[in-house]
Amino acid sequence: MQKEKPFSQACENNKAPILEKLTELFKRPGTILEIGTGTGQHAVHFASHLPHLVWQPTDHPQNVQISHAWINDSNLTNINAPIALNVLNGDWSGLPAIDGAFSANTAHIMAWEEVEAMFRGVAGALPKEGIFCLYGPFSYGGRHTSESNARFDLSLRTQAPHMGIRDMEDLKVLGETTGLVLAEDFEMPANNRFLVWRNTLSRRLR
Ligand SMILES: C[S@@+](CC[C@H](N)C(=O)[O-])C[C@H]1O[C@@H](n2cnc3c(N)ncnc32)[C@H](O)[C@@H]1O
């Protein structure tokens, strides 16, 4: 009997609107790095609809195996095997050369120092003018965009003080220190945002 695959209802809900944005942004062939792949539902959906791209899933070493079932079952040839990458102390130089990067619902799960490490690592791996798409809930000037985001933030911080919805002011400052400039900020369903960061510096890792 086939084992049930890990499943995220949120991924099912947000994969279509995210795909719409990725389709507009990643028009040219290239390799896209995904940080914090999770179940692999996103990787499979995006790679199957964007056959000109090679999708490179990664996740924290403790979670990287979670995506194997979805990716193996997909039989897609444009998804690479998932790579274990802890953004904080992982070996970014061991990744294949990338043309773009994507991450969904990770910034509020990571500790702030991990968010900083993710921006530094992505900026170092992207070519100049390469883009990093970051999806999730964010606040603006310390204000949440909805009551439900405020409740979600509180529940995250109660579970673990290092987690929490990140503020756009902090992310913009962080972006500037790493060479990533906010190019677009799209409103998405369910009080989420789709942030597009453009790399202004030349690739530094290789
Ligand atoms: C809420 S899940 C999101 C998964 C998937 N992107 C999605 O949208 O369903 C957060 C993800 O961030 C990953 N993550 C947390 N800390 C990380 C770190 N330090 N390095 C890499 N990934 C990390 C977790 O392993 C997990 O896969």
Side-chain angles (χ1 to χ4, degrees):
M1 205 173 73
Q2 214 187 1
K3 224 175 118 203
E4 259 182 47
K5 294 198 276 269
F7 180 81
S8 156
Q9 185 57 50
C11 280
E12 289 306 302
N13 298 346
N14 61 32
K15 67 184 187 181
I18 294 178
L19 174 64
E20 208 175 293
K21 291 283 173 259
L22 295 176
T23 306
E24 286 165 18
L25 291 159
F26 294 132
K27 286 199 193 306
R28 282 191 295 213
T31 297
I32 308 301
L33 170 71
E34 182 180 14
I35 310 269
T37 289
T39 62
Q41 284 160 268
H42 276 162
V44 168
H45 190 69
F46 304 149
S48 68
H49 286 83
L50 302 168
H52 60 291
L53 298 179
V54 173
W55 203 261
Q56 177 59 69
T58 71
D59 209 333
H60 191 286
Q62 281 174 2
N63 293 334
V64 70
Q65 80 295 342
I66 293 174
S67 62
H68 286 176
W70 275 90
I71 292 170
N72 292 341
D73 283 6
S74 76
N75 288 322
L76 288 166
T77 54
N78 63 329
I79 307 188
N80 288 345
I83 293 176
L85 177 72
N86 179 348
V87 293
L88 191 58
N89 53 20
D91 178 15
W92 289 81
S93 64
L95 298 172
I98 61 161
D99 303 285
F102 167 79
S103 191
N105 286 324
T106 48
H108 58 272
I109 301 296
M110 292 176 181
W112 178 248
E113 61 171 348
E114 294 172 308
V115 178
E116 290 178 320
M118 172 165 69
F119 270 67
R120 271 198 310 274
V122 166
L126 279 176
K128 194 169 180 193
E129 302 302 326
I131 60 171
F132 172 38
C133 303
L134 183 61
Y135 170 90
F138 300 97
S139 60
Y140 292 78
R143 299 174 81 92
H144 290 293
T145 59
S146 69
E147 268 304 309
S148 63
N149 279 8
R151 280 196 301 275
F152 181 47
D153 185 43
L154 184 63
S155 79
L156 287 168
R157 291 176 196 276
T158 309
Q159 278 173 64
H162 71 266
M163 298 198 293
I165 290 182
R166 304 300 164 197
D167 196 86
M168 286 303 295
E169 305 309 313
D170 297 332
L171 290 176
K172 279 188 209 161
V173 172
L174 170 59
E176 276 157 27
T177 66
T178 60
L180 293 174
V181 171
L182 186 67
E184 303 272 8
D185 173 1
F186 296 108
E187 190 174 356
M188 300 291 278
N191 305 304
N192 287 298
R193 314 293 302 186
F194 189 103
L195 310 177
V196 183
W197 303 86
R198 189 170 47 78
N199 190 26
T200 56
L201 302 175
S202 299
R203 188 151 22 209
R204 277 149 281 157
L205 284 181
R206 50 197 120 233

